[in-house]
Amino acid sequence: MTDRLLLSGLVFYGRHGVLPAERALGGRFVVDVEATLDLRAAGERDDLAATVDYAALYEEVRAIVEGPPLNLLEAVAERVARRLLAAFPPLQRVTVRVHKPGAPLPGATFATIAAEVQRGREPSS
């Protein structure tokens, strides 16, 4: 399946990181989500009930990123992916990319540091 809903560049303020200063001060996190699902019925019928509301996807992502702090970007991405798959049964697969543009790398010049996970539903037996 190649149908996807894409949410790109979602910006949140969170307190994730292993350093005490990251937890105390917090920082900006940018999240991209690619959600794979069948969009044919939504496209043919022009019916929100036949798809997943991207506003609802956004709120689930926000709840994780703005929620309790985690140490690793990998953990943030994993929690977002699991939550989206649990909350929205039509989703078959999700790719979640969590960027930390202000990651503490003294002396380094970079646009962003990111972790990406891809998760899908286990096949039914």
Side-chain angles (χ1 to χ4, degrees):
M1 165 151 330
T2 58
D3 298 348
R4 290 185 185 91
L5 288 176
L6 306 171
L7 288 79
S8 181
L10 306 176
V11 179
F12 305 100
Y13 186 85
R15 296 183 179 274
H16 310 289
V18 295
L19 301 177
E22 294 175 290
R23 296 285 181 104
L25 299 173
R28 190 167 58 106
F29 292 82
V30 181
V31 179
D32 304 319
V33 174
E34 296 180 19
T36 304
L37 69 161
D38 188 347
L39 297 174
R40 183 181 308 268
E44 290 174 349
R45 297 194 321 244
D46 192 24
D47 182 2
L48 181 59
T51 188
V52 172
D53 185 348
Y54 55 78
L57 287 169
Y58 171 89
E59 287 302 325
E60 294 294 338
V61 174
R62 184 185 64 74
I64 298 291
V65 181
E66 292 182 353
L70 298 165
N71 289 326
L72 303 177
L73 292 178
E74 295 87 340
V76 177
E78 183 69 30
R79 294 226 178 141
V80 169
R82 286 185 184 186
R83 186 159 181 166
L84 294 179
L85 288 168
F88 304 101
L91 300 184
Q92 297 172 357
R93 185 164 197 74
V94 294
T95 299
V96 178
R97 195 172 305 109
V98 179
H99 303 264
K100 189 172 185 177
L105 290 177
T109 301
F110 59 92
T112 192
I113 302 296
E116 177 181 289
V117 300
Q118 297 179 358
R119 301 291 178 263
R121 299 198 180 280
E122 295 296 323
S124 301
S125 31

